[in-house]
């Protein structure tokens, strides 16, 4: 997966007419990190890095997440049954709550748009990291 994503990244960058250094500056990440991704020497980037690349290239974040293999995992796990006892409050999607325009607070302090985005980015990274760890653990348990 990592080399496939690296090839995709290189093609995306070249299609946008960007050098490695131009993309690095626009995304706020190092050129060596981009080079390692493109050459398959580094694993698939974390969602927070993908968001930076998406913003720098103008490509939808969801497209990069899909290309990186994160969303395929999500569609597989979305088949997990929701318990019959779950109420509508139990089924709320935290990500959607952060994306809504309604006011959210943390510890009594209102969150602005930037706060919500940062929280969403951090939680997305942690969520997918945990999913990958669980997947590896399950594959070890079945051996």
């Amino acid at each position: 997966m990592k080399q496939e994503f690296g090839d995709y990244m290189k093609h995306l960058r070249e299609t946008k007419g960007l050098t490695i250094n131009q993309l690095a500056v626009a995304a706020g990440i190092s050129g060596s990190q981009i080079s390692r991704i493109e050459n398959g020497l580094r694993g698939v980037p974390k969602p927070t890095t993908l968001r930076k690349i998406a913003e720098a290239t103008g490509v939808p974040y969801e497209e990069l997440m899909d290309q990186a293999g994160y969303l395929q995992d999500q569609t597989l796990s979305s088949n997990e049954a929701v318990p019959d006892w779950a109420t509508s409050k139990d089924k709320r999607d935290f990500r959607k709550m952060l994306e809504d325009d309604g006011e959210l607070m943390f510890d009594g302090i209102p969150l602005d748009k930037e706060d919500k985005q940062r929280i969403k980015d951090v939680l997305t990274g942690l969520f997918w990291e945990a999913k990958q760890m669980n997947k590896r653990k399950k594959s070890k348990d079945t051996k």
Side-chain angles (χ1 to χ4, degrees):
M1 172 58 79
K2 63 183 171 183
Q3 184 55 50
E4 291 174 22
F5 184 76
D7 293 338
Y8 167 79
M9 270 279 301
K10 183 174 184 174
H11 177 73
L12 172 65
R13 179 181 56 76
E14 290 173 345
T15 300
K16 297 291 181 176
L18 298 170
T19 66
I20 288 176
N21 288 334
Q22 288 170 328
L23 178 56
V25 168
I29 57 179
S30 74
S32 61
Q33 183 177 6
I34 292 170
S35 178
R36 288 191 309 268
I37 293 167
E38 289 184 359
N39 292 313
L41 301 174
R42 184 188 181 283
V44 174
K46 292 181 180 180
T48 51
T49 302
L50 291 175
R51 177 162 306 279
K52 292 175 183 179
I53 294 168
E55 290 172 358
T57 59
V59 172
Y61 174 61
E62 291 75 18
E63 181 179 323
L64 288 180
M65 289 288 286
D66 185 47
Q67 289 291 329
Y70 288 109
L71 297 184
Q72 286 109 17
D73 291 343
Q74 183 179 23
T75 51
L76 292 175
S77 65
S78 67
N79 294 332
E80 296 172 6
V82 176
D84 292 335
W85 52 263
T87 67
S88 61
K89 280 189 174 185
D90 296 323
K91 297 178 192 176
R92 285 190 300 183
D93 186 330
F94 191 67
R95 179 182 176 143
K96 287 183 179 154
M97 286 175 49
L98 288 168
E99 291 172 347
D100 287 345
D101 287 335
E103 186 174 348
L104 279 179
M105 298 211 280
F106 183 82
D107 203 21
I109 300 170
L111 303 175
D112 63 20
K113 187 175 181 176
E114 291 78 25
D115 295 334
K116 290 179 185 180
Q117 184 62 53
R118 185 172 174 109
I119 291 168
K120 189 170 75 170
D121 289 345
V122 169
L123 289 175
T124 300
L126 291 172
F127 175 78
W128 289 112
E129 198 173 288
K131 286 293 228 187
Q132 292 295 83
M133 289 167 62
N134 287 340
K135 188 192 304 184
R136 284 192 294 263
K137 183 179 179 196
K138 284 180 186 177
S139 67
K140 284 181 185 177
D141 291 345
T142 58
K143 289 183 181 178

